[in-house]
Amino acid sequence: MTDGLRWVFEAYPFGCSLLFCEGLTPEEVLVRLGARRESVCPLTRTEAQVVEVRNAADEPFDLDHLEDLDVAAVEELGFLRRETDAVVRAGAIQGWSFAIQASTSYVSARNYLFDLSRGTRVVVACMDVNATQRVAYTVDGQVLSGFDPGIPACDDCIDPPALGRPSDSGGMTPLQVLGQLETRFGLWVPRHSEGERLPAAAFSQRGT
């Protein structure tokens, strides 16, 4: 029995980026996304999101209310810079690692599918507050299937059936997308990971 994926949609009402890499460790996923291995720091979901909000604020605020967070350590590792607008956390499940970022979409803003999928396979779903923006399945640098779930028939990749999109032309809701990824690939994210300190890395979507 697993927690599945559909709970993620309710837990991230403002959207999130969710990706899965087969056969890689969480740290390897973050490195392939562009992090330096020595800059990885364990954070809870709350800590990661507060860091993002703090960096985007007109006047950066202190983090004293996060009593268990080593503020000096995260500052030294580059998490508290104005240009850091994405914090991605990664964890492991059966044979896969997952990575998740709340609210914004570092993965879709900076296309790392080739690097992520080198020698393995990757599934990505990016959702905003209104709908799932993009879902893709990539194997060893080749995007087999990828589409906007609102118009799943518009998949011009090399193997459109690989993601198991519906045969009719109707759109897919975020819950349908997550349910499809559960069923087709056996993917899931443990609910308790929200409060756990998972390996995390700080990124800039502007590429700085």
Side-chain angles (χ1 to χ4, degrees):
M1 186 69 178
T2 73
D3 292 329
L5 287 177
R6 277 166 273 210
W7 68 269
V8 173
F9 178 69
E10 296 179 356
Y12 291 82
F14 298 106
C16 70
S17 292
L18 180 63
L19 65 87
F20 295 87
C21 295
E22 187 177 34
L24 300 180
T25 68
E27 291 80 6
E28 287 171 331
V29 171
L30 295 173
V31 168
R32 288 196 181 193
L33 281 172
R36 292 179 297 111
R37 191 176 294 273
E38 61 270 21
S39 71
V40 172
C41 179
L43 297 177
T44 66
R45 172 191 171 176
T46 296
E47 291 167 345
Q49 287 191 249
V50 169
V51 166
E52 284 192 355
V53 171
R54 180 259 183 208
N55 292 344
D58 292 335
E59 293 292 335
F61 50 84
D62 64 47
L63 303 177
D64 293 345
H65 61 293
L66 298 175
E67 297 179 357
D68 296 327
L69 180 66
D70 187 337
V71 177
V74 295
E75 183 169 19
E76 183 179 348
L77 292 172
F79 283 80
L80 303 185
R81 298 174 301 185
R82 172 68 71 177
E83 62 268 26
T84 294
D85 53 9
V87 178
V88 180
R89 300 167 64 242
I93 55 170
Q94 299 141 336
W96 296 74
S97 282
F98 65 88
I100 191 163
Q101 182 209 353
S103 302
T104 53
S105 184
Y106 177 74
V107 175
S108 64
R110 302 283 306 282
N111 187 359
Y112 283 101
L113 280 178
F114 179 82
D115 288 334
L116 280 169
S117 65
R118 189 175 64 253
T120 185
R121 54 181 181 156
V122 172
V123 178
V124 177
C126 298
M127 301 175 285
D128 67 13
V129 67
N130 296 312
T132 309
Q133 294 178 308
R134 183 74 177 167
V135 59
Y137 177 43
T138 304
V139 177
D140 200 16
Q142 290 192 308
V143 182
L144 300 188
S145 178
F147 54 85
D148 176 339
I151 44 174
C154 295
D155 184 341
D156 59 0
C157 299
I158 62 175
D159 186 13
L163 264 172
R165 63 178 174 81
S167 56
D168 59 35
S169 59
M172 299 174 71
T173 67
L175 285 177
Q176 287 174 323
V177 170
L178 294 174
Q180 180 69 13
L181 298 184
E182 280 183 41
T183 301
R184 192 163 189 85
F185 299 100
L187 300 174
W188 61 288
V189 173
R191 286 178 183 265
H192 61 74
S193 66
E194 296 282 271
E196 290 185 338
R197 280 207 164 84
L198 299 182
F203 302 96
S204 169
Q205 295 182 92
R206 295 182 291 274
T208 56

